[in-house]
Amino acid sequence: MTHSMLGKALASLAKICFARGEHVEADEAWKEALSIFKIRMGHDSLYVAGALKDRLKVLIDLDIDKARKNATPMLKAALEKYALKQDVIDLKEINEILGLLLRDELQLANEEDLQPFVPLILHCDRVLSGEIRNQTSEHPNIDVRFLAEFYQHAGHLLWLSKHDNVKAKRWVQRSVVLWGGP
């Protein structure tokens, strides 16, 4: 078995352990998988991004203080990989990260903690708007729900960060329209 396959197997084990409520075992499996992914697939790998995101979900249930301490670097690193390091951005994964930023128990939904994420969120919008030529999204073939969820979460986070309340409102309104509202 190759090391990359071992990493994938450990990631599967971590997901199963998490689903069964075995958080310590899930955390250990994610740590091992993450180590293998970094070595075998590179630090910018989407496998690393996914492992960071999914390990944080485990930490939320296992040790909320540890999750709060590690949330910003883990989520920022994952979002950078999904938003900046790929030719095609993956809105499903990006939306999951933005949703984690909004989780009350992480206590990140404030101006200071969200500042490192604002440039990444704005970058995603520029990709979706076609302003960045060397990157694209699944758009226009994208499921409109992913687009609606992105603008809903991104608008909320932009408002909480106090970066640009006008743009935040416009993004949330765009989300409402995409969801089928007025």
Side-chain angles (χ1 to χ4, degrees), residues 102-172:
L102 289 166
R103 298 242 338 226
D104 289 337
E105 59 266 48
L106 289 178
Q107 301 173 349
L108 293 174
N110 63 70
E111 183 177 1
E112 183 181 332
D113 290 329
L114 292 175
Q115 287 309 311
F117 297 95
V118 170
L120 297 167
I121 293 168
L122 294 172
H123 177 84
C124 290
D125 174 60
R126 287 193 300 278
V127 171
L128 292 169
S129 301
E131 295 174 28
I132 299 180
R133 300 281 181 228
N134 62 342
Q135 267 188 307
T136 186
S137 68
E138 303 91 354
H139 189 65
N141 299 325
I142 192 168
D143 186 324
V144 71
R145 293 174 295 182
F146 292 135
L147 203 54
E149 186 178 5
F150 171 78
Y151 282 109
Q152 178 183 341
H153 288 336
H156 192 175
L157 290 165
L158 208 59
W159 176 75
L160 290 168
S161 74
K162 298 184 172 130
H163 175 76
D164 184 340
N165 287 341
V166 173
K167 185 178 281 190
K169 181 180 178 185
R170 190 171 61 244
W171 284 2
V172 172

Side-chain angles (χ1 to χ4, degrees), residues 15 73 95 97 114 116 173 178:
K15 290 177 183 180
N95 288 343
I97 292 168
L114 292 175
Q173 286 172 328
L178 288 166

Side-chain angles (χ1 to χ4, degrees), residues 9-23 25-26 29-30:
L10 284 164
S12 293
L13 176 63
K15 290 177 183 180
I16 291 168
C17 289
F18 180 68
R20 293 177 48 144
E22 298 166 351
H23 299 104
E25 294 84 354
W30 274 125

Side-chain angles (χ1 to χ4, degrees), residues 86-103:
Q86 304 302 315
D87 294 336
V88 179
I89 62 171
D90 186 337
L91 276 185
K92 179 181 174 288
E93 297 296 333
I94 289 170
N95 288 343
E96 197 169 346
I97 292 168
L98 299 182
L100 284 167
L101 287 170
L102 289 166
R103 298 242 338 226

